[in-house]
Amino acid sequence: MRIMRAAFASRLDDADPLAALTVGEQPEPSLPDDGWVVVRVTASSLNHHDLWSLRGVGLRAEQLPMILGCDATGVDPDGNEVVVYPVVATPGDPRGVSILSEHFPGTLAERVAVPRSNLLPLPAGLTAIDAACLPTAWLTAWRMLTTKGRVDEADAVLVQGAGGGVATAAVVLAAAMGKRVYATSRDARKRELIAELGATALEPGARLPERVGVVVETVGAATFDHSLKSAAPGARIVVAGATAGHEPKVNLRRVFAMQLEIVGTSMGTPDDLTDLLAFCAERGVRPVVDSVVPFSRVEDAFARLHFGDVFGKVVIDHTV
């Protein structure tokens, strides 16, 4: 049996997720059917999903060991540089799909197996490091703004909880689209950094100079009333997370009187990712990168995501 180096969940530990992380040898990828291929990973990036997996959210003990990681760029069997779309059809999952590292081994390894149809060309002008940031957090933000938020119908956007991966991506993308962007954060330093990305940075709950057509909501209960009050008539409040409470109080009078749409979303389609890659390449948009860590120090990358004051993506360089 051929082996490779990988970062994987060897057990589940809600109290100390880093203790459940192992970096060591794992079997080379196997191919579930003829439509799958093996990609040599060039770069990957971490998501909080990886830490949640170590805690046992979405993983069961009988699935271990599970190679972690959702995002990657790499080289396909024909030598092409590709971006990996991480959503895989999974009939046994209630959603009908899963993302890599839930039912199928993930991208934090020398090689990963994926359906050939999940491979998108790496556009000219985007580096493997930059593109490895896009398939999860940035794809979610793109779909929130475009498909679900219909941001082309809006002049202004509110992003709650900027500093997180999806929220920071939404700020950069909305600004690149020419929208007036307002972003909230409890952290004064992150407000300064968000302002440098083109947003008007505000403390949570602050009154906006105007009502907005799209609200990007990943915080939940702590900010949802502010999202409702900040929404213009007919606005879309797009929800893709609930890091600070998943059961907010909702003023239904405001919802129907202002004819608001509250829409949920998660990830995006291959076409969404294709459009995002093209947008970034053509507009010169680059993801916010907190740090680039060699794969030989992947444990340090996990520790930074878990303990550090991270702003932007933590990227793993598999070539060094």
Side-chain angles (χ1 to χ4, degrees):
M1 180 177 63
R2 297 183 63 189
I3 58 174
M4 64 177 180
R5 192 161 177 80
F8 54 95
S10 54
R11 62 188 180 91
L12 307 175
D13 193 326
D14 183 47
D16 186 5
L18 296 184
L21 174 68
T22 298
V23 179
E25 295 179 343
Q26 285 289 287
E28 289 269 358
S30 59
L31 302 179
D33 62 45
D34 292 341
W36 288 57
V37 295
V38 173
V39 172
R40 175 169 56 83
V41 179
T42 304
S44 60
S45 67
L46 298 187
N47 294 282
H48 280 281
H49 180 276
D50 299 309
L51 290 173
W52 285 112
S53 295
L54 292 168
R55 294 182 187 275
V57 178
L59 277 183
R60 302 183 307 277
E62 56 266 29
Q63 294 175 277
L64 303 180
M66 176 61 77
I67 297 175
L68 301 170
C70 311
D71 297 339
T73 52
V75 179
D76 73 7
D78 301 318
N80 302 306
E81 290 189 284
V82 293
V83 182
V84 176
Y85 174 66
V87 181
V88 181
T90 312
D93 190 287
R95 301 164 295 179
V97 296
S98 65
I99 60 176
L100 294 174
S101 77
E102 291 182 342
H103 292 278
F104 299 97
T107 58
L108 291 176
E110 295 178 59
R111 285 168 284 281
V112 62
V114 293
R116 185 179 286 277
S117 58
N118 282 47
L119 301 182
L120 304 176
L122 176 67
L126 274 185
T127 67
I129 293 290
D130 286 337
C133 299
L134 302 180
T136 297
W138 280 67
L139 176 60
T140 298
W142 175 263
R143 186 172 176 82
M144 292 178 83
L145 290 168
T146 58
T147 307
K148 297 291 187 175
R150 307 196 304 279
V151 73
D152 56 318
E153 301 173 14
D155 296 318
V157 175
L158 168 62
V159 180
Q160 298 283 21
V166 174
T168 301
V171 168
V172 175
L173 291 170
M177 294 171 183
K179 307 302 176 181
R180 295 186 296 276
V181 185
Y182 304 96
T184 67
S185 177
R186 295 174 298 173
D187 187 306
R189 174 180 168 273
K190 288 184 178 179
R191 289 197 297 272
E192 292 178 3
L193 294 170
I194 283 294
E196 293 175 4
L197 297 178
T200 299
L202 303 164
E203 294 185 11
R207 185 180 181 88
L208 272 57
E210 61 181 316
R211 288 195 172 106
V212 302
V214 178
V215 180
V216 171
E217 177 62 81
T218 62
V219 179
T223 56
F224 207 80
D225 186 61
H226 183 242
S227 294
L228 289 168
K229 291 176 179 177
S230 302
R236 282 74 62 198
I237 300 173
V238 189
V239 183
T243 57
H246 65 281
E247 294 183 338
K249 291 184 178 180
V250 178
N251 184 338
L252 292 178
R253 290 175 179 171
R254 183 176 293 274
V255 173
F256 65 73
M258 299 288 281
Q259 300 190 55
L260 303 178
E261 298 177 39
I262 300 173
V263 184
T265 191
S266 179
M267 297 295 290
T269 67
D271 286 343
D272 290 329
L273 183 54
T274 298
D275 292 343
L276 170 60
L277 289 165
F279 181 86
C280 290
E282 293 166 6
R283 301 288 186 95
V285 174
R286 297 296 177 265
V288 180
V289 175
D290 173 87
S291 51
V292 180
V293 179
F295 187 75
S296 59
R297 291 178 32 230
V298 67
E299 298 101 323
D300 295 341
F302 271 86
R304 177 161 183 79
L305 183 63
H306 184 49
F307 294 118
D309 187 18
V310 173
F311 187 83
K313 297 291 289 182
V314 178
V315 184
I316 311 299
D317 186 344
H318 291 238
T319 66
V320 294

